Amino acid sequence: MIRVGVLGATGYAGAELVRILLGHPDVKIAALTSRQYAGVSFSNIFPSMKGFADIDCEEYRAGSFTGRVDVAFTALPHKLPMAFVPGLLENGIKVIDLSADFRFRDVSVYEKFYQPHTSRKLSEEEAVYGLSEINFSKIRKARLIGNPGCYPTSLLLPLVPLIQNGFINTRSIIVDSKSGVSGAGRSLSLGTHFCEVNESFKAYKVSVHRHAPEMEEVLSEAAGAPVKITFVPHLVPMTRGMLTTAYADMSGKANEVELRECLDSFYRDHKFIRICPENTFPDVSNVRATNFCDIGVKADARNNRIILVSAIDNLVKGAAGQAVQNMNIMTGIEETAGLDNPPFPV
Amino acid sequence: MIRVGVLGATGYAGAELVRILLGHPDVKIAALTSRQYAGVSFSNIFPSMKGFADIDCEEYRAGSFTGRVDVAFTALPHKLPMAFVPGLLENGIKVIDLSADFRFRDVSVYEKFYQPHTSRKLSEEEAVYGLSEINFSKIRKARLIGNPGCYPTSLLLPLVPLIQNGFINTRSIIVDSKSGVSGAGRSLSLGTHFCEVNESFKAYKVSVHRHAPEMEEVLSEAAGAPVKITFVPHLVPMTRGMLTTAYADMSGKANEVELRECLDSFYRDHKFIRICPENTFPDVSNVRATNFCDIGVKADARNNRIILVSAIDNLVKGAAGQAVQNMNIMTGIEETAGLDNPPFPV
Amino acid sequence: MIRVGVLGATGYAGAELVRILLGHPDVKIAALTSRQYAGVSFSNIFPSMKGFADIDCEEYRAGSFTGRVDVAFTALPHKLPMAFVPGLLENGIKVIDLSADFRFRDVSVYEKFYQPHTSRKLSEEEAVYGLSEINFSKIRKARLIGNPGCYPTSLLLPLVPLIQNGFINTRSIIVDSKSGVSGAGRSLSLGTHFCEVNESFKAYKVSVHRHAPEMEEVLSEAAGAPVKITFVPHLVPMTRGMLTTAYADMSGKANEVELRECLDSFYRDHKFIRICPENTFPDVSNVRATNFCDIGVKADARNNRIILVSAIDNLVKGAAGQAVQNMNIMTGIEETAGLDNPPFPV
Amino acid sequence: MIRVGVLGATGYAGAELVRILLGHPDVKIAALTSRQYAGVSFSNIFPSMKGFADIDCEEYRAGSFTGRVDVAFTALPHKLPMAFVPGLLENGIKVIDLSADFRFRDVSVYEKFYQPHTSRKLSEEEAVYGLSEINFSKIRKARLIGNPGCYPTSLLLPLVPLIQNGFINTRSIIVDSKSGVSGAGRSLSLGTHFCEVNESFKAYKVSVHRHAPEMEEVLSEAAGAPVKITFVPHLVPMTRGMLTTAYADMSGKANEVELRECLDSFYRDHKFIRICPENTFPDVSNVRATNFCDIGVKADARNNRIILVSAIDNLVKGAAGQAVQNMNIMTGIEETAGLDNPPFPV
């Protein structure tokens, strides 16, 4: 059994990690940490979990995982993981960080959009960007994963294969994403008050969201040249789910069959990616509470443009699920372990 | 492996059965039937199921399950099961019927609220009312189950123990239930149109809903005397979930500790019933997509009244989940098999 | 023109007051106050109001309304109005208080459920409980209104006429209410976080909500003897709306026609009360954004019980709308002025 | 008083017309027609309207409006208006058609996306496209209006001024729209079943929606040259509201101040268009139940791209409200009459 610890277990991503790990056949939850709820049973904070996670939350202290945790998930606000991760690694604990702290190879970009980085070398030389299907072989050998953001996951999975295969004019990429509210976390804000979100729909952080540079770094690597995108996120009045509609000019002339063929072939051996058949497009309700990314593709021949639509559950493939998938890859167990529960019809 | 067939697999209860059965370690789905979608792959009707239930729906015909199905679930509109069940039983197939056709021992009550019964003897002498925790020992020996309605399940689980133990004045029972929309099924009606339900809340079939006589039959048996109730169902703008608030006068003087103690003790060995601690009450979100029934109890001492609040997922404990639980009991496997997935934090 | 001031204009009830007053033909908004947003334009806080309420919020100070406000609405947290109201009245300003501070004639009850009262005499001897249709003639002469709570309004309007006419056994009243989330106000709490409310349904403050004593005082007056009720509120995943289902034993033998006749006759001249025809029941969506209270009645003859169902918009008839109705009555203008906008079909 | 008739009053757009017309100071509703509900009171179909629209629906017959209706609104499925409109005009009745039948000057485009046109000359030579702010002077003189679709309204209002002023590279326009469910009408379909929409988000008719050619005709006219766009609509789990995010390359170098200045200046005298200040973007909740179109603009300087975000209520500015605005313009009364109710804070 893999002994895991979750730092920051009481946010939505952390709690979703707990849910998935509880159902994982090869895992034992060794520790859940929470500053706010130290000493309180996890199932008192999330009463749904009564009988499943009657585990007292503890406060994380340097060294407190040593000897009892094999893999640590850090589901903490940006900046905290930088402080904790070096110590964890030194004690032989593998780390999957769900914050942005270890997502960037070019740390100067991180510093521009977040804050000064205190663990630059780890980020630049050791951390692996945990986009499971794309970076599979690097993840296998990693001891530190920067787990991707939800928006980047939803864009990169459909786009990277088409870029690598030369279908995309990389100066023309426009990304219009729509997220459920759980992506904003469990902290209180007027923006997540029920009455302000319900029967509402809006764009936010228009072209200034800090997931854009994260996407650009990976796209640039795929393209072998710098890629800049326009990115506009929107908030949908639903709890879970993320849909991304991406637009790009075709680099040459391709038809939809070739585009779908490219995606089909790229993801042939990857169970969590499902390519939709012709004239069929993803719905977030089809991936709810699963680790799937459903992808639809359309060639807009009149405009020589490609339209990509992808759907994920922002808390699963966009956070906790992909983190567990990465743990599975890193520890050499079945990639789908703990993540293959049947989807919901409704 | 138990080979199961689902008749009427493409309604919400049927599809939820498919979801649960797909994750059941001891089950193989042998047949899914649908009149409307015969010949169509189940995963084309429910695209979430792609990769899980790529099974062609077939039309059910007399004898078509013989030799390949051990247990049949009939998730059909009332009246159809009466026609199919005798044949299934004759061919050695155990049946769990999710309609009302086999829920009544007093068939004249069924006939008053539904229609003439064409299989009276089976219903009166053989069928077992599948309220799993209450009728466990009868279910174990049954070959035909009348699976309870969602409203009755949500009321009977909290109420029966208190009635059996004499706490309740059975002439005073008032039941105020609130259901998510999936309880109305997948058929089209103005009443399930998004715009008519969203931001709406209403009572319906006020004191004339036909789940009332179903409840009264079981309550009367528990009380050893005829029980009549007032029952008002309401529609909540959410997909899944049912909350029932029941009110009754105390028969004598009891305090809340005794009431909770009664429930705790009654359900001590039943994993799917969770009694809430003092001053804590159920929320349907805590049981979403699970087979749990959470129960809260309050003594309203000023009025010498008992208040019971229970929450279930109407599609799981209120339909498909309890049906699978009954199959587990009937076939002698672990009662919780296929039903013990960890609950969702959100 | 009536010059009005709204204290606490930036909560939901206050903002709804602003909306209604902006459309009122006989009103001029003279002042909006907000501690939190003093100096900020109201339409910056509620961007929907741009072009309608481009009014800077001010901080309320003793005397700051004198000479420029005829009627003040206090939409403040309980306890603040007690401090401000005496000064307003002394300066000749009529006051409609939306908090609980002036709802009780028996101030000891207030003190038991809220806090010590600092303006006891005003509350006991002068304030009028602003249930518009019931206390019309007292309201006409009042200079201080304790505007009713939303739950009490939804219960008292259907129940008082039947009690006054002797139909109800007043020892048997059970009140099961369901409220939209805006009733909890605009303040932040985990209980109003979108992800915690959406797809959720629960009871709260089971039989300990402080609207119960408010109801009991009015019911006791109607009955001419002390009345105690059982009251359980629930939270519905919708923004606006409140449905109350009330149950009571009939005092004698009455049929539904007599009950409906009693209500029809009682409310004949009151435009905002609509009695539903036989076998028709209210839906909160029918009263959304209106000052209506729709009432349905059912005689449960089998149990000799009466079922009453009422629907209001908690922010309108349950708060701001009834407050404006009371202002209309107090100032002798048309009772429906500013409140007769056509309802929404959806 | 203008005597109006509404053909097809019981769909959502028709019923919203009724709501607006009931509150219009210069209008008398003379006739409501419905094939399905002929003989039934409108307020029985929409119980919210009890006391406001207790008008029996009638079946429309040729000539049945003559002498009692001045202006007819046709809120019927495409194809029916073509048959009725010529007769109405001949009888001196002005017509505002909410279907697509009279939106196209180039009828061959209509015929490609809808069906053969039986009233070609009227459409090509007489009908005016009722985009109120853009075609104000033509509308004033018209007797037949093709009222714009909701998607076109939401796109054209922000885009036309910038195109006319040369800011836009018209070969680069991408339109990503998101609509509430009422846009799909009141007819029953699995796609509007509550459980299929709730907690769902999807794209539909990806780049094949027939509102695209409607937009292209108007954009081409504004540009003075053919314009082709990429258009992807999405369905949002809410009842009312539409948000459109449009992307285009700048034709030259412009900064955001110039873009906002262009919009501000273009709409200076148009009360229903509100341009958002810098770094502020529309939310559909700010325009709910109003005739406003809120517009936000962002210059994405890094990519030399313009981002436009607009919000309307699809049933008001996107249908019934703009239709009434057009009636006001055609009849020479105040443009905002019946449409200036204060917006909702929540």
Side-chain angles (χ1 to χ4, degrees):
Chain A
M1 298 294 269
I2 304 161
R3 299 166 304 166
V4 306
V6 179
L7 286 99
T10 60
Y12 286 141
E16 185 74 357
L17 265 171
V18 173
R19 173 186 77 80
I20 295 170
L21 295 168
L22 285 169
H24 195 298
D26 306 313
V27 158
K28 190 189 163 302
I29 295 182
L32 302 178
T33 85
S34 166
R35 244 184 332 187
Q36 192 184 349
Y37 296 107
V40 181
S41 171
F42 188 81
S43 64
N44 279 2
I45 307 162
F46 293 96
S48 66
M49 296 286 190
K50 203 177 142 190
F52 287 85
D54 303 320
I55 304 168
D56 282 355
C57 293
E58 55 187 85
E59 193 166 351
Y60 179 73
R61 282 174 223 282
S64 67
F65 276 18
T66 310
R68 59 188 185 114
V69 165
D70 303 309
V71 178
F73 295 90
T74 45
L76 299 163
H78 310 305
K79 193 171 186 182
L80 288 181
M82 284 193 286
F84 298 156
V85 165
L88 289 162
L89 293 176
E90 277 161 30
N91 285 298
I93 298 168
K94 289 179 175 168
V95 179
I96 297 159
D97 175 31
L98 282 79
S99 84
D101 284 4
F102 295 96
R103 289 180 192 157
F104 289 83
R105 297 301 73 76
D106 182 347
V107 167
S108 63
V109 176
Y110 174 90
E111 294 190 323
K112 186 173 165 198
F113 288 89
Y114 294 86
Q115 63 244 317
H117 205 295
T118 61
S119 197
R120 173 181 292 264
K121 209 176 158 205
L122 266 183
S123 193
E124 290 186 342
E125 297 178 13
E126 170 133 19
V128 171
Y129 189 71
L131 194 61
S132 311
E133 284 78 9
I134 307 289
N135 288 341
F136 185 90
S137 53
K138 283 186 196 161
I139 293 164
R140 225 156 76 183
K141 290 172 278 183
R143 48 173 204 155
L144 169 59
I145 298 291
N147 211 59
C150 45
Y151 286 120
T153 298
S154 76
L155 175 73
L156 297 171
L157 288 172
L159 202 51
V160 165
L162 296 178
I163 287 186
Q164 286 186 355
N165 286 277
F167 286 106
I168 303 280
N169 172 346
T170 55
R171 282 191 312 277
S172 68
I173 301 168
I174 288 169
V175 184
D176 190 293
S177 288
K178 301 89 177 174
S179 175
V181 184
S182 60
R186 204 174 181 233
S187 305
L188 303 183
S189 72
L190 195 56
T192 56
H193 189 299
F194 182 85
C195 301
E196 306 286 320
V197 173
N198 185 38
E199 293 296 285
S200 147
F201 190 88
K202 64 175 175 187
Y204 68 100
K205 294 190 184 159
V206 174
S207 96
V208 300
H209 193 287
R210 53 199 189 180
H211 278 180
E214 183 182 329
M215 300 184 205
E216 290 174 349
E217 184 170 273
V218 181
L219 292 174
S220 299
E221 195 191 325
V227 173
K228 286 183 296 183
I229 64 171
T230 295
F231 172 54
V232 180
H234 302 74
L235 191 68
V236 187
M238 62 183 181
T239 299
R240 286 166 178 261
M242 172 169 288
L243 195 102
T244 288
T245 315
Y247 305 86
D249 295 345
M250 295 195 203
S251 56
K253 286 277 171 209
N255 60 40
E256 199 173 295
V257 172
E258 293 169 284
L259 298 170
R260 185 170 291 105
E261 171 65 26
C262 168
L263 290 165
D264 269 334
S265 141
F266 194 97
Y267 289 118
R268 187 147 297 149
D269 301 325
H270 294 278
K271 186 172 173 190
F272 292 127
I273 315 295
R274 302 190 294 194
I275 311 301
C276 298
E278 198 184 346
N279 284 323
T280 310
F281 295 92
D283 185 325
V284 298
S285 66
N286 291 333
V287 298
R288 189 188 307 141
T290 77
N291 199 47
F292 285 108
C293 177
D294 283 1
I295 298 174
V297 60
K298 179 84 186 173
D300 173 13
R302 284 199 326 150
N303 294 296
N304 205 39
R305 217 167 261 149
I306 296 172
I307 304 167
L308 291 164
V309 185
S310 68
I312 59 171
D313 183 319
N314 58 302
L315 290 180
V316 189
K317 187 61 174 169
Q322 186 156 246
V324 171
Q325 187 180 357
N326 287 332
M327 178 197 75
N328 292 346
I329 298 170
M330 290 163 87
T331 57
I333 61 178
E334 184 67 41
E335 186 180 349
T336 59
L339 295 166
D340 48 2
N341 56 305
F344 291 88
V346 76
Chain B
M1 298 296 268
I2 305 162
R3 300 167 303 165
V4 306
V6 179
L7 285 100
T10 60
Y12 286 141
E16 184 74 356
L17 266 171
V18 173
R19 173 186 75 80
I20 296 171
L21 294 168
L22 284 169
H24 195 298
D26 306 313
V27 157
K28 189 189 163 303
I29 294 182
L32 302 178
T33 86
S34 165
R35 244 186 332 190
Q36 192 183 351
Y37 296 106
V40 181
S41 171
F42 188 81
S43 63
N44 279 2
I45 308 162
F46 293 96
S48 64
M49 297 285 191
K50 204 177 140 190
F52 287 85
D54 303 320
I55 304 167
D56 282 355
C57 293
E58 55 187 83
E59 192 166 351
Y60 179 74
R61 283 175 224 282
S64 68
F65 277 16
T66 310
R68 58 188 185 114
V69 165
D70 303 309
V71 178
F73 294 90
T74 46
L76 298 163
H78 310 306
K79 192 170 186 181
L80 287 181
M82 283 194 288
F84 298 156
V85 165
L88 289 163
L89 293 176
E90 278 161 30
N91 286 297
I93 298 168
K94 291 179 174 168
V95 179
I96 296 160
D97 175 30
L98 282 77
S99 85
D101 284 5
F102 294 97
R103 290 180 191 156
F104 289 83
R105 298 300 74 75
D106 182 348
V107 167
S108 63
V109 176
Y110 174 91
E111 293 189 323
K112 186 172 165 200
F113 288 90
Y114 294 86
Q115 63 245 318
H117 205 294
T118 60
S119 196
R120 174 180 289 265
K121 207 175 159 207
L122 266 183
S123 193
E124 289 187 341
E125 298 178 13
E126 170 133 18
V128 171
Y129 188 70
L131 193 61
S132 311
E133 284 78 10
I134 306 289
N135 288 342
F136 186 89
S137 52
K138 283 185 195 161
I139 293 165
R140 223 157 76 184
K141 291 172 278 183
R143 50 173 202 156
L144 170 58
I145 298 291
N147 211 58
C150 46
Y151 286 121
T153 298
S154 76
L155 175 73
L156 296 171
L157 288 172
L159 202 51
V160 164
L162 297 178
I163 286 187
Q164 285 186 358
N165 286 278
F167 286 107
I168 303 281
N169 172 347
T170 56
R171 283 191 311 277
S172 67
I173 301 168
I174 288 169
V175 185
D176 190 294
S177 288
K178 300 88 177 175
S179 175
V181 184
S182 60
R186 204 174 181 232
S187 305
L188 302 183
S189 71
L190 195 57
T192 56
H193 190 298
F194 182 85
C195 302
E196 306 285 321
V197 173
N198 185 37
E199 292 296 284
S200 147
F201 190 89
K202 65 175 177 188
Y204 69 100
K205 294 190 183 159
V206 174
S207 96
V208 299
H209 193 287
R210 54 199 189 181
H211 278 181
E214 183 182 329
M215 300 183 206
E216 289 175 348
E217 185 170 273
V218 181
L219 293 175
S220 298
E221 197 191 323
V227 173
K228 287 184 296 185
I229 64 171
T230 295
F231 172 54
V232 180
H234 302 74
L235 191 68
V236 186
M238 62 184 180
T239 298
R240 286 164 177 261
M242 172 169 288
L243 195 102
T244 287
T245 316
Y247 304 87
D249 295 345
M250 295 195 203
S251 56
K253 286 276 171 210
N255 60 40
E256 200 173 298
V257 172
E258 294 169 283
L259 298 170
R260 185 169 292 104
E261 171 65 27
C262 167
L263 290 166
D264 269 333
S265 140
F266 194 96
Y267 289 118
R268 186 147 298 149
D269 301 325
H270 294 279
K271 187 173 171 187
F272 292 128
I273 315 295
R274 302 190 292 195
I275 311 301
C276 298
E278 199 185 345
N279 284 324
T280 309
F281 295 91
D283 185 324
V284 297
S285 67
N286 290 334
V287 299
R288 189 187 308 142
T290 78
N291 199 47
F292 285 109
C293 176
D294 283 0
I295 298 175
V297 59
K298 179 84 185 173
D300 173 13
R302 286 199 324 150
N303 295 295
N304 204 39
R305 218 167 261 149
I306 296 171
I307 305 166
L308 290 163
V309 185
S310 68
I312 60 171
D313 183 318
N314 58 302
L315 291 180
V316 188
K317 186 61 176 171
Q322 185 156 246
V324 171
Q325 187 181 358
N326 286 330
M327 178 198 75
N328 291 347
I329 298 170
M330 290 163 87
T331 56
I333 60 177
E334 184 68 39
E335 185 180 349
T336 58
L339 295 165
D340 48 2
N341 55 305
F344 291 88
V346 77
Chain C
M1 298 296 268
I2 306 162
R3 300 166 303 166
V4 307
V6 179
L7 286 100
T10 59
Y12 286 141
E16 185 74 356
L17 265 171
V18 173
R19 173 186 75 81
I20 295 171
L21 294 168
L22 285 169
H24 195 297
D26 306 312
V27 158
K28 191 189 162 304
I29 294 182
L32 302 178
T33 85
S34 166
R35 243 184 333 188
Q36 192 183 350
Y37 295 107
V40 181
S41 172
F42 188 82
S43 64
N44 278 3
I45 307 162
F46 293 96
S48 66
M49 296 286 190
K50 203 178 142 189
F52 287 85
D54 303 320
I55 304 167
D56 280 357
C57 293
E58 54 188 85
E59 192 166 351
Y60 179 74
R61 281 175 225 279
S64 67
F65 277 17
T66 310
R68 58 187 187 115
V69 165
D70 302 310
V71 178
F73 294 89
T74 45
L76 298 163
H78 310 305
K79 193 171 186 181
L80 288 181
M82 284 194 286
F84 298 156
V85 166
L88 288 163
L89 292 177
E90 278 161 30
N91 286 297
I93 297 168
K94 290 180 173 168
V95 179
I96 297 159
D97 175 31
L98 282 79
S99 85
D101 284 4
F102 294 98
R103 288 179 192 158
F104 289 83
R105 299 299 73 76
D106 182 349
V107 167
S108 63
V109 176
Y110 174 90
E111 293 190 323
K112 186 172 165 199
F113 288 90
Y114 294 86
Q115 64 246 317
H117 205 295
T118 61
S119 197
R120 173 181 292 265
K121 207 174 158 203
L122 266 184
S123 193
E124 291 187 340
E125 297 178 12
E126 170 132 18
V128 171
Y129 188 71
L131 194 62
S132 311
E133 284 76 10
I134 306 289
N135 289 342
F136 186 90
S137 53
K138 284 187 195 160
I139 294 165
R140 225 158 75 184
K141 290 172 279 184
R143 49 173 203 155
L144 171 58
I145 298 292
N147 211 58
C150 46
Y151 287 120
T153 297
S154 76
L155 175 73
L156 296 172
L157 288 172
L159 202 51
V160 165
L162 296 178
I163 286 186
Q164 284 186 358
N165 286 277
F167 285 106
I168 303 280
N169 172 346
T170 55
R171 284 191 310 277
S172 68
I173 301 168
I174 288 168
V175 185
D176 190 293
S177 288
K178 301 88 177 174
S179 174
V181 184
S182 60
R186 203 173 182 234
S187 305
L188 303 182
S189 72
L190 195 57
T192 56
H193 190 299
F194 182 85
C195 302
E196 305 286 321
V197 173
N198 184 38
E199 293 297 285
S200 146
F201 190 89
K202 65 174 176 189
Y204 68 100
K205 295 191 184 159
V206 174
S207 96
V208 299
H209 194 286
R210 52 199 189 179
H211 278 182
E214 183 183 329
M215 301 185 204
E216 290 175 349
E217 184 170 275
V218 181
L219 292 175
S220 298
E221 196 191 325
V227 173
K228 287 182 295 184
I229 63 171
T230 295
F231 172 55
V232 180
H234 302 74
L235 191 68
V236 187
M238 61 185 180
T239 298
R240 286 166 176 261
M242 172 170 287
L243 195 102
T244 288
T245 315
Y247 305 87
D249 294 345
M250 295 195 203
S251 56
K253 284 278 170 209
N255 60 40
E256 199 173 297
V257 174
E258 294 170 282
L259 298 170
R260 186 170 290 104
E261 171 65 26
C262 168
L263 290 166
D264 269 334
S265 143
F266 193 97
Y267 289 118
R268 186 147 299 150
D269 301 325
H270 294 278
K271 188 175 170 186
F272 292 127
I273 314 296
R274 302 190 294 194
I275 311 302
C276 298
E278 198 184 346
N279 283 324
T280 310
F281 293 92
D283 185 326
V284 297
S285 67
N286 290 333
V287 298
R288 190 189 306 142
T290 77
N291 199 47
F292 285 109
C293 176
D294 283 0
I295 298 174
V297 59
K298 179 85 186 173
D300 173 13
R302 285 199 326 150
N303 294 296
N304 204 40
R305 218 167 261 149
I306 296 172
I307 304 166
L308 291 164
V309 186
S310 68
I312 59 171
D313 184 318
N314 59 303
L315 290 181
V316 189
K317 187 61 174 169
Q322 186 156 246
V324 171
Q325 187 180 358
N326 287 331
M327 179 197 73
N328 291 347
I329 297 170
M330 290 164 87
T331 57
I333 61 176
E334 184 67 41
E335 186 180 349
T336 59
L339 295 166
D340 49 2
N341 56 304
F344 291 88
V346 77
Chain D
M1 298 295 269
I2 305 162
R3 300 166 304 166
V4 307
V6 179
L7 286 100
T10 60
Y12 287 140
E16 184 74 355
L17 265 170
V18 173
R19 173 186 75 81
I20 295 171
L21 294 168
L22 285 169
H24 195 296
D26 306 313
V27 157
K28 190 189 163 306
I29 295 181
L32 302 178
T33 86
S34 166
R35 243 184 335 188
Q36 191 184 349
Y37 296 107
V40 181
S41 172
F42 188 81
S43 64
N44 278 3
I45 308 162
F46 293 97
S48 65
M49 296 284 191
K50 203 177 140 190
F52 287 86
D54 303 320
I55 304 168
D56 281 356
C57 292
E58 54 187 86
E59 192 165 351
Y60 179 74
R61 281 175 225 282
S64 67
F65 277 16
T66 310
R68 59 186 185 115
V69 164
D70 303 309
V71 177
F73 295 90
T74 46
L76 299 163
H78 311 305
K79 191 171 187 181
L80 288 181
M82 283 194 287
F84 298 156
V85 165
L88 288 163
L89 292 177
E90 278 160 31
N91 285 297
I93 298 168
K94 290 179 174 168
V95 179
I96 297 159
D97 175 31
L98 282 79
S99 85
D101 284 6
F102 295 97
R103 289 181 192 157
F104 288 83
R105 297 301 72 78
D106 182 348
V107 168
S108 63
V109 176
Y110 175 91
E111 294 189 323
K112 186 173 164 199
F113 287 90
Y114 294 86
Q115 63 246 317
H117 205 294
T118 61
S119 197
R120 173 181 290 265
K121 209 177 157 203
L122 266 183
S123 193
E124 290 187 339
E125 297 178 14
E126 171 134 18
V128 171
Y129 188 71
L131 194 60
S132 312
E133 284 77 10
I134 306 288
N135 288 342
F136 185 89
S137 51
K138 283 185 195 162
I139 293 165
R140 223 156 77 183
K141 291 172 279 183
R143 51 172 203 156
L144 171 57
I145 298 291
N147 211 58
C150 46
Y151 286 120
T153 297
S154 76
L155 175 73
L156 296 171
L157 288 171
L159 201 52
V160 164
L162 297 178
I163 285 186
Q164 285 186 357
N165 285 279
F167 285 106
I168 303 280
N169 172 347
T170 56
R171 284 191 311 277
S172 68
I173 301 169
I174 288 168
V175 185
D176 190 293
S177 288
K178 301 88 176 175
S179 175
V181 184
S182 60
R186 205 175 181 232
S187 305
L188 303 183
S189 72
L190 195 57
T192 56
H193 189 299
F194 182 85
C195 302
E196 305 286 320
V197 173
N198 184 39
E199 293 296 284
S200 147
F201 191 89
K202 64 174 176 188
Y204 68 101
K205 295 190 183 159
V206 175
S207 96
V208 299
H209 194 286
R210 53 200 189 179
H211 277 182
E214 183 182 330
M215 301 184 206
E216 289 175 349
E217 185 170 274
V218 181
L219 292 174
S220 299
E221 197 191 324
V227 173
K228 286 183 296 183
I229 64 171
T230 295
F231 172 54
V232 181
H234 302 75
L235 190 69
V236 187
M238 62 184 179
T239 298
R240 286 166 177 261
M242 172 170 287
L243 195 102
T244 287
T245 315
Y247 305 86
D249 294 346
M250 295 196 203
S251 56
K253 285 277 169 207
N255 61 39
E256 200 173 297
V257 173
E258 294 169 283
L259 299 169
R260 185 169 291 106
E261 171 64 26
C262 169
L263 290 166
D264 269 333
S265 143
F266 193 97
Y267 289 118
R268 187 147 297 151
D269 301 325
H270 293 279
K271 188 174 171 186
F272 292 128
I273 315 297
R274 302 190 294 196
I275 311 303
C276 298
E278 199 185 345
N279 283 325
T280 311
F281 294 92
D283 185 325
V284 298
S285 66
N286 291 333
V287 298
R288 191 188 305 142
T290 78
N291 199 48
F292 286 109
C293 177
D294 284 0
I295 298 174
V297 59
K298 179 83 187 173
D300 173 13
R302 286 200 323 151
N303 294 296
N304 204 40
R305 219 167 260 151
I306 296 172
I307 305 167
L308 290 163
V309 185
S310 69
I312 60 171
D313 184 319
N314 58 303
L315 290 181
V316 189
K317 186 61 175 170
Q322 185 156 247
V324 171
Q325 187 180 359
N326 287 330
M327 179 198 74
N328 291 347
I329 297 170
M330 291 163 87
T331 57
I333 60 177
E334 184 68 39
E335 186 180 349
T336 59
L339 295 166
D340 48 2
N341 55 305
F344 291 87
V346 77

